[in-house]
Amino acid sequence: MIASSPLTNNVTDVALIFEGGGMRGSYTAAVVRTLLAAGLYFDWVAGISAGSSHLANYLSRDAHRAEMSFVDFTADPKFGNIGTFVRGQGLFNAHYIYEQTSAPGQALPFDFSTFQLNPATRRIGSFEADTGQAVYWGKEDMRTLHQLMREVRASSTMPILMPPVKFNGHTYVDGAIGPSGGIALDAARRDGLTRFFVVMTRERSYIKPPSRMPRLYKTWFRRFPAVAEALIERPRNYNQTREELFDLESSGQALLFVPDQMTVRNNTRSVPELRESFEAGLVQARRELPRWRDFLGL
């Protein structure tokens, strides 16, 4: 889709928030497809880690790319493996995945024109390894395709598995380790939103267990102790944000998309497994669509 004039959005008082989760995004890519097919266009969207890819695809209104990114694309021989990890490119070859494939004529060309013409406020979350500060980038930080994809990469750079990203005088790692636990509820509240549509990637019963590798984190990130500390604190922060969301759901302020069953892991590479995950997400999303419309008043 190539737009030539500003787009319009019909949901102006609810924040759309995409949680990360690596290849668990195969399930929630179905939410992107369903929202777009139903013509539900939010005017405020946030994403962290894999959720930032959903944000980019949703705001460019590209349901096909949303699906491809988390299903078929894993079959690309350049996607990443132990070889790229040993060479310092990461278990997921992030530079290739985000910064190369999005260009015209590449494996996952991105419709940057439509993305820019979409007037929605956008927030992509990352974590400054050198300062220990969580950051959110907005539209003013995404003036070029290169800037946007570098920020999506920075938001999605899983510690240890992928090398940190350096730009703007800082070193960045996955935004999921920030104080929000990887769900941008704090950014939405900061912008004055009081109602939330949150797309989650863990089942309702899930509770993140305490870190089992604090010593490894402290050794691996000895140059960036704030990252080690954030990784150790992440389970507490993540569980706390989820509890807040369930409270908001109970009070009627939030609508949560919570997977019925999550059958893939954040590092799953099998296309058949990811395809099955996407199709299961599609069944759930279509079933829940009437409830979404009721919450949004559409």
Side-chain angles (χ1 to χ4, degrees):
M1 173 182 178
I2 300 178
S4 58
S5 59
L7 306 180
T8 58
N9 295 311
N10 55 6
V11 181
T12 59
D13 61 346
V14 179
L16 174 60
I17 300 173
F18 290 107
E19 181 185 359
M23 301 315 296
R24 289 192 293 274
S26 57
Y27 197 99
T28 50
V31 175
V32 177
R33 175 170 161 178
T34 303
L35 288 171
L36 292 175
L40 299 179
Y41 303 131
F42 288 72
D43 203 43
W44 193 101
V45 187
I48 294 176
S49 196
S52 66
S53 290
H54 284 338
L55 173 150
N57 292 324
Y58 173 78
L59 289 178
S60 65
R61 299 192 178 176
D62 194 337
H64 176 69
R65 190 178 191 276
E67 178 180 342
M68 288 288 294
S69 297
F70 288 93
V71 182
D72 303 273
F73 182 47
T74 60
D76 189 312
K78 299 179 183 179
F79 189 78
N81 50 42
I82 192 64
T84 55
F85 179 77
V86 171
R87 292 193 293 272
Q89 298 168 298
L91 190 62
F92 295 89
N93 187 357
H95 178 71
Y96 173 73
I97 291 171
Y98 300 106
E99 297 187 48
Q100 289 184 247
T101 62
S102 57
Q106 297 301 311
L108 285 173
F110 183 76
D111 186 353
F112 187 69
S113 174
T114 298
F115 178 85
Q116 282 293 84
L117 289 169
N118 194 318
T121 297
R122 58 212 65 184
R123 301 284 181 252
I124 289 179
S126 188
F127 187 85
E128 290 180 350
D130 46 335
T131 69
Q133 298 296 311
V135 295
Y136 283 103
W137 291 301
K139 189 172 184 178
E140 66 279 4
D141 304 303
M142 307 168 188
R143 293 190 175 92
T144 67
L145 176 62
H146 176 68
Q147 284 180 308
L148 169 63
M149 288 303 166
R150 187 171 53 181
E151 288 157 2
V152 171
R153 176 187 173 188
S155 178
S156 308
T157 297
M158 292 187 283
I160 299 179
L161 298 182
M162 300 158 76
V165 185
K166 297 181 180 180
F167 62 94
N168 293 342
H170 293 288
T171 300
Y172 298 95
V173 295
D174 200 312
I177 71 171
S180 71
I183 304 174
L185 180 62
D186 57 341
R189 283 175 163 162
R190 191 177 306 146
D191 282 353
L193 279 297
T194 58
R195 300 179 71 229
F196 316 95
F197 184 118
V198 187
V199 182
M200 305 170 76
T201 58
R202 292 286 196 178
E203 297 165 346
R204 190 170 290 269
S205 61
Y206 179 78
I207 298 175
K208 185 173 284 296
S211 171
R212 294 176 295 177
M213 301 183 291
R215 290 185 179 180
L216 172 63
Y217 294 150
K218 290 179 179 179
T219 300
W220 193 281
F221 293 106
R222 56 188 176 275
R223 290 183 54 225
F224 300 111
V227 174
E229 186 62 29
L231 284 166
I232 293 168
E233 290 296 315
R234 184 169 184 247
R236 181 181 64 82
N237 292 333
Y238 179 73
N239 292 335
Q240 179 176 309
T241 297
R242 277 174 56 96
E243 289 177 9
E244 288 183 47
L245 288 172
F246 293 139
D247 288 342
L248 289 167
E249 180 184 44
S250 296
S251 69
Q253 291 176 262
L255 186 147
L256 309 181
F257 177 86
V258 185
D260 290 336
Q261 184 178 15
M262 181 54 65
T263 59
V264 298
R265 300 168 61 87
N266 65 348
N267 60 352
T268 297
R269 302 292 186 87
S270 166
V271 172
E273 290 181 32
L274 295 169
R275 170 61 55 192
E276 183 178 356
S277 172
F278 176 82
E279 295 298 336
L282 198 57
V283 169
Q284 181 179 345
R286 287 172 173 170
R287 185 185 74 233
E288 294 190 5
L289 180 57
R291 183 169 68 94
W292 302 355
R293 289 189 182 279
D294 287 344
F295 180 78
L296 298 173
L298 295 174

